[in-house]
Amino acid sequence: MPDFLLELFSEEIPARMQARAAEDLRKLVTEALAGAGLLYEGAKAFVTPRRLALAVKGVPVRQPDVKEEKKGPRVGAPEGAIQGFLRAAGLKSIGEAKVVPDKKGDFYLAVIDKPGRPAIEVIAEIVPEVVKTFPWPKSMRWGEQSARPGSLGWVRPLHSIVATFGPETEEPDIVAFAVDGIRAGDETRGHRFMAPQPFKVRRFEDYATKLEKAKVVLDPERRKEMILADAKNLAFAQGYELLEDAGLLAEVAGLVEWPVVLMGSFDQAFLAMPPEIVRATIRNNQKCFVLRDPRTSQLVGKFILVANIEAEDGGKAIIAGNERVIRARLADAKFFYDTDLKTRLEDRLPKFEHIVFHEKLGTQAERIARTERLADEIALTLSSRERTRRWLRPARSTIGRSAPATACRPIRSRSPSRSPTRSTRWSGFGRSTRSQPVRKIPTPSAAPPWE
């Protein structure tokens, strides 16, 4: 059965949008194919910073023929109703309809045979609609056509579309359609710098192989595996250990099409700051991984960066540029950290008295005081319940044999100024530190309800 290949080639797609975009492309296209009666064998979407791709396996050559029945008016109905039925059913005369009996009498029934259309024609209608209505969180318009109403909106300028359809044993056909002046074809491009020349593709296997030669790793999961393996090996070779970060790994894999792992360094003096500050500064500003000493688990003055190019100088200029930026960002972080240390936290508390939390709830200082009181009540309640459990464990072993019901009698003290549900305390077996009434509980046959 034929396979369908689709690629949407554009400028760089933000890394945070890539995974969702690939899933949306797969879902929209496959749901439209299934709705048109083209049931496929499998589909998988791929994404790189510059392209969205979809491979659909086992698509039928054409739609199945469909026989549709349309019920009409009863026999002897007014002429206007019959003419409307003929127009809706596409019949030339009422003689083309069948007469079918019913409980209420005979009525007309039109049997409409709809022959299936070639799948390539159906796909040529589906893809433009998917592209025009694609649910990007943010999109843009560009060029002269952006001034026209209804012009294409895409996350970044769209340059070309690849759309081929055909079986493995034959030369695939190009799906003929255009979106906002961009005509579908069989030509794409590789890496922006290392292989910018265009080349033709036929089906998915050919497409993925040629992209690999053109310095593009199509599968984002494989890019993650390459980055993680190379980073671990490079760190191990220098006697360090990589501090793994799944979120950063996914983001970096969305920034490169051909990952190249390099190692840089920074001044050891910055390690005097808490490790969380060092790691957050390097991660958030330069998207780099930090390293640690495997013997002490302390951070070291090294970091791992991922480039998108095999530089002629071995990456020296790339490393130097990242080191310069990281040094400046760490210096900023150290300045703010040292400035914060000059003022004790206790000295900052009076400032909360001048910050309004809510006009009806008071200031931040009042909110903090309420939170403290609530935390105290919760802590007392929870700790009391834990003590009760410990006290009841030995008593429960005697319940049901010879111990009296008072052996596990809980004593609850109440304060007249507090709600009983908020200040419940357990004081022990049959004795209370305060002179409060005792609530008698019958001997339980199973676990007590308060456990």
Side-chain angles (χ1 to χ4, degrees):
M1 297 179 74
D3 299 333
F4 172 52
L5 171 65
L6 175 65
E7 183 204 62
L8 303 169
F9 183 81
S10 67
E11 294 295 326
E12 276 72 6
I13 304 169
R16 68 182 184 278
M17 301 182 186
Q18 292 177 14
R20 176 65 181 272
E23 178 60 23
D24 286 341
L25 180 64
R26 185 197 64 80
K27 182 179 179 181
L28 292 172
V29 173
T30 55
E31 286 182 353
L33 289 174
L38 297 173
L39 303 181
Y40 56 94
E41 294 178 359
K44 187 173 182 179
F46 302 89
V47 62
T48 77
R50 301 181 71 202
R51 70 200 77 223
L52 275 173
L54 175 67
V56 185
K57 296 286 186 180
V59 182
V61 177
R62 61 183 299 111
Q63 291 175 307
D65 297 335
V66 178
K67 182 176 288 186
E68 180 182 351
E69 293 183 350
K70 190 175 185 65
K71 186 177 180 180
R74 61 180 174 80
V75 176
E79 185 64 21
I82 293 177
Q83 291 300 322
F85 167 65
L86 294 177
R87 287 192 299 270
L91 302 179
K92 296 180 180 179
S93 66
I94 197 63
E96 297 180 4
K98 293 181 179 180
V99 177
V100 181
D102 194 5
K103 294 180 181 180
K104 298 181 180 181
D106 297 340
F107 64 91
Y108 293 109
L109 182 70
V111 180
I112 306 169
D113 292 325
K114 291 185 176 181
R117 299 168 57 202
I120 194 170
E121 295 181 4
V122 179
I123 293 173
E125 296 175 356
I126 289 175
V127 177
E129 186 64 23
V130 169
V131 174
K132 291 177 183 177
T133 60
F134 200 82
W136 290 108
K138 291 184 179 180
S139 60
M140 61 177 292
R141 294 183 294 174
W142 63 94
E144 297 178 357
Q145 68 271 21
S146 63
R148 299 196 304 265
S151 60
L152 175 65
W154 201 248
V155 63
R156 295 291 185 269
L158 185 64
H159 292 312
S160 64
I161 300 175
V162 170
T164 64
F165 181 79
E168 296 182 2
T169 56
E170 301 176 8
E171 190 71 18
D173 297 320
I174 296 175
V175 183
F177 65 88
V179 180
D180 210 32
I182 304 173
R183 299 200 63 83
D186 60 354
E187 190 174 270
T188 186
R189 294 173 177 81
H191 194 278
R192 180 185 287 276
F193 304 111
M194 294 189 289
Q197 299 79 14
F199 55 89
K200 293 184 178 295
V201 297
R202 293 181 296 173
R203 55 186 58 85
F204 177 73
E205 290 75 12
D206 174 63
Y207 170 73
T209 302
K210 289 184 177 179
L211 277 181
E212 191 87 14
K213 294 179 180 178
K215 305 297 184 181
V216 175
V217 180
L218 182 63
D219 190 349
E221 293 301 320
R222 184 160 169 257
R223 293 199 300 273
K224 289 182 187 179
E225 294 172 0
M226 293 173 61
I227 294 171
L228 186 60
D230 292 349
K232 286 183 175 180
N233 291 337
L234 183 58
F236 180 77
Q238 301 293 326
Y240 305 123
E241 183 181 32
L242 177 71
L243 201 59
E244 296 186 30
D245 188 327
L248 179 59
L249 179 63
E251 184 176 4
V252 171
L255 297 175
V256 297
E257 289 191 319
W258 189 257
V260 178
V261 175
L262 303 170
M263 181 183 291
S265 61
F266 57 88
D267 194 341
Q268 295 282 342
F270 293 122
L271 296 177
M273 292 187 293
E276 294 81 4
I277 296 179
V278 177
R279 183 182 181 185
T281 302
I282 295 176
R283 182 193 194 279
N284 297 339
N285 289 279
Q286 285 303 103
K287 314 302 180 188
C288 296
F289 299 87
V290 295
L291 303 177
R292 63 186 175 190
D293 189 332
R295 295 167 296 182
T296 62
S297 297
Q298 299 297 317
L299 295 186
V300 296
K302 300 286 184 179
F303 63 90
I304 292 289
L305 65 98
V306 183
N308 191 36
I309 188 174
E310 294 178 350
E312 296 180 354
D313 63 351
K316 293 181 180 178
I318 297 174
I319 294 173
N322 279 269
E323 288 178 343
R324 182 171 59 254
V325 175
I326 285 178
R327 183 167 57 251
R329 298 289 78 79
L330 287 176
D332 292 342
K334 189 175 187 304
F335 169 78
F336 290 113
Y337 176 68
D338 292 340
T339 302
D340 288 344
L341 291 180
K342 295 178 181 178
T343 305
R344 298 188 309 163
L345 292 178
E346 293 82 354
D347 298 336
R348 299 178 185 271
L349 291 178
K351 294 183 179 180
F352 286 117
E353 298 176 359
H354 306 288
I355 301 175
V356 177
F357 170 62
H358 191 278
E359 61 178 350
K360 295 182 179 180
L361 299 176
T363 64
Q364 288 284 6
E366 293 172 328
R367 182 183 71 86
I368 293 172
R370 290 194 298 269
T371 304
E372 289 178 348
R373 292 194 297 271
L374 180 61
D376 179 63
E377 292 288 341
I378 293 174
L380 288 173
T381 302
L382 294 178
S383 62
S384 298
R385 289 179 179 176
E386 180 60 29
R387 287 199 303 271
T388 302
R389 290 191 181 95
R390 290 198 301 267
W391 291 334
L392 291 181
R393 285 192 191 106
R396 286 177 61 184
S397 62
T398 62
I399 292 175
R401 294 204 302 265
S402 60
T406 55
C408 62
R409 182 179 301 161
I411 307 301
R412 184 171 62 182
S413 62
R414 297 180 181 178
S415 172
S417 62
R418 295 183 180 179
S419 172
T421 59
R422 296 186 56 188
S423 59
T424 301
R425 300 188 182 184
W426 300 90
S427 57
F429 282 81
R431 296 178 60 190
S432 173
T433 56
R434 301 177 184 178
S435 57
Q436 298 292 339
V438 175
R439 186 181 65 166
K440 296 184 179 181
I441 299 177
T443 304
S445 58
W450 55 81
E451 268 203 6

